């Protein structure tokens, strides 16, 4: 599911490795060797982690670029002020 949603954001090598791991796991599920199934599951997990890393990097880059553009537009003014209390106003009148 993640590959379908975010496949356009990762390189072809990563997509191929995930698809290959999925195929290998499906093939191993037809057999009865638990160790092979565990190994293929681990391979798929590692390939999926790479997809997650690419998604995370893309998200961080987008956040960094948008944060940088927002900060450059801000105008901060440093000013002194004094608080005027309502009692002070009445006493002056």
């Amino acid at each position: 599911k993640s590959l379908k949603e975010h496949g356009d954001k990762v390189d072809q090598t990563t997509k191929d490795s995930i698809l290959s791991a999925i195929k290998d796991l499906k093939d191993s599920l037809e057999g009865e060797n638990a160790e092979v199934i565990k190994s293929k599951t681990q391979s798929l997990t590692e390939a999926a982690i790479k997809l997650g890393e690419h998604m995370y990097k893309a998200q961080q880059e987008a956040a960094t670029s948008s944060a940088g553009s927002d900060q450059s537009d801000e105008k901060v003014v440093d000013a002194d002020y004094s608080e005027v209390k309502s009692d002070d106003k009445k006493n002056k009148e």
Side-chain angles (χ1 to χ4, degrees), residues 2-3 5-18 44-63:
S2 294
L3 184 61
E5 292 175 1
H6 305 285
D8 59 335
K9 298 174 185 164
V10 296
D11 58 282
Q12 189 62 40
T13 306
T14 303
K15 283 197 278 190
D16 290 343
S17 102
I18 293 170
L44 178 57
T45 301
E46 290 171 4
I49 288 172
K50 289 181 184 177
L51 174 63
E53 288 172 357
H54 283 284
M55 291 168 32
Y56 180 76
K57 284 180 186 177
Q59 183 181 28
Q60 290 300 319
E61 289 172 0

Side-chain angles (χ1 to χ4, degrees), residues 11-69:
D11 58 282
Q12 189 62 40
T13 306
T14 303
K15 283 197 278 190
D16 290 343
S17 102
I18 293 170
L19 293 172
S20 175
I22 291 170
K23 182 183 178 305
D24 290 344
L25 179 59
K26 284 181 180 180
D27 291 345
S28 70
L29 289 173
E30 294 174 4
E32 303 216 5
N33 189 340
E35 289 301 315
V36 172
I37 293 171
K38 286 180 184 179
S39 172
K40 299 301 180 183
T41 301
Q42 182 64 30
S43 296
L44 178 57
T45 301
E46 290 171 4
I49 288 172
K50 289 181 184 177
L51 174 63
E53 288 172 357
H54 283 284
M55 291 168 32
Y56 180 76
K57 284 180 186 177
Q59 183 181 28
Q60 290 300 319
E61 289 172 0
T64 302
S65 66
S66 67
S69 64

Side-chain angles (χ1 to χ4, degrees), residues 71-79:
Q71 291 177 354
S72 64
D73 293 340
E74 287 186 31
K75 293 183 181 178
V76 178
V77 177
D78 188 19

